[in-house]
Amino acid sequence: MWRKKLSVLAVASAVTLSLTACGGDDSGGEDASTEITGKGPITFVTGKDTSGFVQGVLDKWNADHPDEQVRLIELPESADAQRSQMIANAQTESDEYDVLNLDVVWTAEFAANRYVIPLPEDEFPLDQMLEPVVETAKYLDKVYSIPVQSDGGLLYYRTDLLKAAGVSEPPKTWDEMKEICEKVQATPEGKNVACYAGQFEKYEGLTVNAAEAINSAGGVITDESGKPNVNTEEAAAGLDFLVQSFEDGTIPKEGITYMEEQGRRAFQEGRLLFHRQWPYQYALANGEGSKVVDKFAVAPLPGLDGPGVSSLGGHNLGISTYSKNKETALEFIKFYSNLENNRDYVVTASQAPVYTELYEDEELNKQLPFLSILGDSIANAQPRPKVVNYGDATIAIQDAAYAALTGDMSTEEALEQLQGDLEEITADQQG
Ligand code: GLC
């Protein structure tokens, strides 16, 4: 019943979205709302700043721009809640939001619905940025946002506990990870530590973790041409890793409620041996209040038969169609996304840079031991499905994965349902 409802909803909104996308002026011509004019105060709208870095950058800008002050608007931690608030704001055509910090997976949806405007790409050093990251900022070959932060999954692990158990290397496969957990849990130091967690609450983080498990077993959610192909043995082997891990206690029960921050707290409090997490945790877990300072390192994500595959994460800045001060917004994006700020972002908050040269910088690599592993994670990462109605696609993935992880459906049933839902959701996008 629920499945039927979801599909109907998905189709209904797919139709609405495609109509919106095709309506209006499709000649590529400019109308008043896409003109980059207007100077004055602006807002910077972003998900909760868990890194504590953003306000400092805004203060720097504000010190030099007395008549074009930027004010921070922080939205909730969950990517889905951020997306809904930004869309609700655009649908009321409100000018309260100027610069939007967009998750890389929203570009198609925000561009097709004209919630954000096309940007003059020749005014930005995009050729100095990682190519797959720049791709996330484009829709139908036009640039709609400017990369400021990339993201790749890492396996955080407790070096002290591995050492105490006589283990010298982090795991490359899921089986190795489970074996190491058993060894560590058999030691006095490790007996109360849970084995593994990631992000499994029903939100965007679950889409990321389910996609990574599927990709890390050789499966895909959508193929290179964008067609859903998730009802396969490979995808089942991937999702099964998570299902089995909940069943056998590799992932603690409460892991089903974890978003990034709950997992980070568990890791920092010393309650987790292995944690799939983004790079931002590195600085915080080595900071004030953490019980694991200097007691952890990162490794590539493990997979079924060898190293796993991360989902490509990150954020790009766009300008709301309804902003009154687009000229200021554009200048602010140039400032926020510049090389210097991007370097500070990784040094102070361990956020993944978007400039290629920062990954090659010897000085930085000495200072930041995670940087080269992070660079590889991003270089090998898979994008999530690039669809206009991304909101529907991600809900379908979350529904299926959550049903499998909580035992409401078998892995096979969940993947069959997901394949059907994604076929309906992407039907109007073929051609
Ligand atoms: C991080 C990633 C983003 C992803 C989100 C999921 O913020 O940068 O791409 O969607 O986590 O929780």
Side-chain angles (χ1 to χ4, degrees):
M1 182 62 203
W2 167 237
R3 171 168 147 55
K4 272 241 169 68
K5 247 197 227 154
L6 172 79
S7 306
V8 171
L9 267 179
V11 170
S13 71
V15 171
T16 325
L17 285 171
S18 73
L19 285 178
T20 326
C22 299
D25 173 14
D26 254 4
S27 62
E30 308 270 301
D31 59 38
S33 59
T34 63
E35 264 172 38
I36 302 186
T37 53
K39 284 185 168 191
I42 54 169
T43 56
F44 177 59
V45 187
T46 179
K48 182 140 183 45
D49 177 26
T50 40
S51 70
F53 172 82
V54 176
Q55 187 60 54
V57 186
L58 271 47
D59 290 346
K60 273 203 274 173
W61 165 273
N62 284 340
D64 293 336
H65 298 85
D67 300 327
E68 294 166 285
Q69 298 279 294
V70 55
R71 177 169 62 88
L72 180 63
I73 296 184
E74 275 181 294
L75 301 180
E77 267 166 38
S78 142
D80 309 59
Q82 296 160 22
R83 174 183 161 277
S84 317
Q85 268 180 247
M86 288 186 191
I87 291 181
N89 190 270
Q91 284 173 343
T92 57
E93 305 193 359
S94 157
D95 63 0
E96 198 198 341
Y97 292 178
D98 295 289
V99 175
L100 302 176
N101 192 9
L102 301 171
D103 197 313
V104 289
V105 282
W106 304 335
T107 308
E109 185 174 25
F110 276 61
N113 289 290
R114 303 182 175 200
Y115 301 147
V116 290
I117 60 166
L119 299 178
E121 59 180 291
D122 47 355
E123 292 185 33
F124 292 89
L126 297 178
D127 55 344
Q128 294 172 32
M129 296 180 179
L130 300 170
E131 214 239 298
V133 171
V134 174
E135 276 311 302
T136 68
K138 291 185 183 169
Y139 175 63
L140 300 180
D141 282 337
K142 272 197 197 167
V143 169
Y144 283 85
S145 53
I146 303 300
V148 286
Q149 174 235 330
S150 187
D151 241 347
L154 301 169
L155 184 72
Y156 287 73
Y157 65 97
R158 290 282 301 281
T159 44
D160 57 331
L161 297 181
L162 257 58
K163 197 163 169 224
V167 178
S168 55
E169 294 279 322
K172 291 198 176 55
T173 65
W174 294 325
D175 282 348
E176 281 174 24
M177 185 168 81
K178 291 188 181 191
E179 278 163 28
I180 296 176
C181 284
E182 277 171 28
K183 285 190 188 155
V184 169
Q185 285 164 341
T187 64
E189 295 87 345
K191 71 174 187 308
N192 293 320
V193 177
C195 178
Y196 176 72
Q199 294 76 46
F200 306 115
E201 174 61 283
K202 201 162 159 303
Y203 80 115
E204 187 61 32
L206 179 57
T207 298
V208 166
N209 280 255
E212 284 177 352
I214 289 170
N215 293 152
S216 297
V220 295
I221 294 183
T222 50
D223 67 17
E224 274 166 26
S225 69
K227 264 175 77 189
N229 187 22
V230 75
N231 196 9
T232 61
E233 266 175 39
E234 291 82 2
L239 188 55
D240 247 352
F241 155 65
L242 296 177
V243 171
Q244 298 294 333
S245 295
F246 270 103
E247 266 173 32
D248 67 16
T250 301
I251 302 175
K253 278 208 172 58
E254 69 197 44
I256 198 73
T257 65
Y258 282 7
M259 299 196 289
E260 282 84 359
E261 284 293 271
Q262 287 83 356
R264 175 170 78 82
R265 281 193 279 276
F267 189 76
Q268 287 187 189
E269 285 162 11
R271 293 188 275 123
L272 277 178
L273 177 58
F274 294 110
H275 188 208
R276 181 267 170 231
Q277 177 65 293
W278 305 108
Y280 86 101
Q281 175 171 285
Y282 201 95
L284 294 169
N286 264 330
E288 218 178 298
S290 168
K291 292 190 180 150
V292 298
V293 175
D294 291 335
K295 292 182 179 165
F296 70 91
V298 297
L301 295 177
L304 180 65
D305 303 316
V309 181
S310 172
S311 292
L312 183 60
H315 290 86
N316 307 328
L317 301 190
I319 301 180
S320 163
T321 305
Y322 306 102
S323 163
K324 292 246 163 51
N325 292 324
K326 296 195 178 74
E327 199 177 333
T328 300
L330 186 76
E331 288 312 309
F332 172 75
I333 293 179
K334 284 183 194 166
F335 165 77
Y336 196 98
S337 65
N338 73 24
L339 181 61
E340 190 192 326
N341 281 326
N342 215 231
R343 175 187 277 268
D344 282 356
Y345 212 7
V346 67
V347 172
T348 60
S350 64
Q351 291 278 14
V354 296
Y355 287 89
T356 314
E357 69 177 80
L358 295 178
Y359 290 92
E360 291 156 2
D361 186 307
E362 259 181 55
E363 206 39 52
L364 274 188
N365 274 290
K366 263 193 235 148
Q367 204 181 334
L368 310 169
F370 60 86
L371 193 57
S372 68
I373 298 170
L374 175 59
D376 290 345
S377 169
I378 292 170
N380 298 322
Q382 282 288 329
R384 279 161 275 169
K386 207 172 180 177
V387 289
V388 170
N389 30 1
Y390 185 77
D392 296 328
T394 189
I395 284 181
I397 299 168
Q398 294 167 31
D399 277 341
Y402 197 79
L405 299 192
T406 52
D408 279 355
M409 272 186 194
S410 70
T411 298
E412 285 69 24
E413 282 166 347
L415 291 180
E416 196 189 329
Q417 167 181 306
L418 179 56
Q419 176 69 19
D421 286 346
L422 289 177
E423 278 170 10
E424 288 179 44
I425 290 167
T426 56
D428 68 317
Q429 292 202 25
Q430 313 297 322

